[in-house]
Amino acid sequence: MFDRARSLRAAAALTSLSLLAGCGLLTDEGSDPEHRLSVGTTSKPSTLDPAGAWDGSWELYRNVFQTLLSYPTGTVSPSPDAAQKCGFADTAHRVYACTLKEGLTFSDGSALDAEAVRHSIERIVRINADGGPAGLLSSLDTIETQGKEKVVFRLNKPDATFPFVLATPGMSLVSPGAYPAGRLRTDDSLVGSGPYTMKAYRPEGADSGADLERNPNYKGFADRKNDAVTIRYFDDSAKMVKALKDKEIDATFRGLTAEQVVGLQDQAGGPIQVTESPGSEIHYLVFNPKDKYAANPAVRRAIAQLVDRPTLVEKVYKGTAEPLYSMVPTGIAGHTTDFFDEYGRADTAEAKRILRAGGVTGRVPLALWFPTDRYGSATALEFAELKRQLDASGLFRVTVKGLPWKEFQKGVQKGSFPVFGRGWAPDYPDPDSFVAPFVGKRNAISTPYLVPEITDQLLPRSRREIKRENASEYFVRAQEVLMHDARLLPLWQGKMYVAALEDVGGTELTLDPQTVMQVWELYRKTSWD
């Protein structure tokens, strides 16, 4: 979504490495426009209403809704989508204006005009849903419309990241007649103006999925290489891979275990190809201050001292991830290694000293929770390894518990879990997207985390910097603050993989800078070299 320093562009670029040996036998020309492609994922939407989700639901949203700005294939800076043009209208970066394209309509036939844009964004703030994207709009003050096609956003503080926020699927535009201003839709349908319309949605069962068809009235940047796509939602990675091998689906994204990736790579030259892309997705633990143990800084720091990330990554992820020692991952401007610098390698004696200095004696009972059907089957193995490491120290007595995503989210929002695991893919490829979402009273982890130095000082200063490389110093300090508090414990940073049948093209172009899948890039190869 942004113009960043060279190192950031290198990490967020959409170039990728095809691992298929001999794929030159198939040309990239020609497609069968009538054939429906099928894509498998373990990331099922938590809701079909964009005002209610700040999570992997965005994968679906990007393909059925429009935003004012987005990321044309191969770019890392926000560019117009539903908008014809956008830009700051003042030097203080507090007035941002967009002019819409003419003749935009939603799939229900209503006009996508300036009033629809205002309705879409204002309802996000008004509803302020638990787990929703309202936290991204903390700098928004008011929205004005000027005629049918111009929208003016007035901000309550300078915010150079505001264009990037508008480019997130969380800011998807919706029809005022179909989406109430004060509440979320809860049915299994949607109305958008994106590359595809959704013809059917099956939230549960073995055939869970969404059927998408080309939107004939779409006016945006996406160059659709197919006419129809079914997104299949799997609750188990093994079932998804079996469906791919059995040719019941054409491609997979999100949810492959390390063993599955390595196994598919080892079959290079066979019927399945694997495409690897640089990844900025991170996984981390969240400590709940409502729990008497997790609220204790000594407990959190002792766990930070005990977690052996290299062993975790090697045993569970087998080269498909790398240890992470900061909430800002490698490849993003301002990345540090504060957790390694402070705690070094796993050390039981030092962890014991930390606990005793904090007045903690005896083994600490602690429950670690994770979603069973969100990040792939390897998550259970990851938490089993975390339990093993903590129990082996003799300082903790850990139980591991899992729930399906919807129940897990409810537990998180109620504050029921002492410690829980989450994954995070960036809203945009900027360090702001790895700090701001996690702090404040309402945030992406649904657990209030008040850090005044970050929210009141560092973030406001960083958002005055249009040249984002100049903001790095603020995020270096923010990471130091997060490390000392240890309310969030980074674990690993993943790479991105798309596995597809050998006759499917476009896999190297499917992931945008938010690691959201653009299914319009996929097509079936039909001609031979």
Side-chain angles (χ1 to χ4, degrees), residues 348-359:
T348 298
E350 181 60 18
K352 183 176 182 179
R353 186 198 67 77
I354 293 171
L355 287 173
R356 301 300 180 258

Side-chain angles (χ1 to χ4, degrees), residues 208-256:
S208 174
D211 295 334
L212 311 184
E213 293 184 5
R214 179 189 288 251
N215 180 358
N217 299 314
Y218 170 67
K219 295 181 179 181
F221 71 89
D223 180 13
R224 293 162 293 184
K225 305 297 195 309
N226 59 68
D227 280 353
V229 176
T230 289
I231 301 177
R232 289 270 310 276
Y233 299 116
F234 291 85
D235 59 6
D236 182 82
S237 300
K239 294 177 183 177
M240 184 170 67
V241 172
K242 184 178 186 301
L244 180 65
K245 291 181 176 179
D246 292 345
K247 299 186 178 181
E248 295 173 3
I249 59 175
D250 299 295
T252 68
F253 171 64
R254 223 178 269 290
L256 292 174

Side-chain angles (χ1 to χ4, degrees), residues 319-386:
T320 63
E322 56 184 322
L324 181 63
Y325 297 96
S326 171
M327 291 300 288
V328 178
T330 303
I332 299 294
H335 163 75
T336 68
T337 56
D338 282 331
F339 276 87
F340 183 82
D341 298 340
E342 177 71 13
Y343 299 103
R345 302 190 183 280
D347 188 329
T348 298
E350 181 60 18
K352 183 176 182 179
R353 186 198 67 77
I354 293 171
L355 287 173
R356 301 300 180 258
V360 180
T361 59
R363 296 184 70 173
V364 177
L366 210 58
L368 307 186
W369 290 77
F370 70 96
T372 57
D373 57 353
R374 192 65 178 177
Y375 308 120
S377 304
T379 310
L381 302 176
E382 174 183 335
F383 275 73
E385 173 60 18
L386 288 171

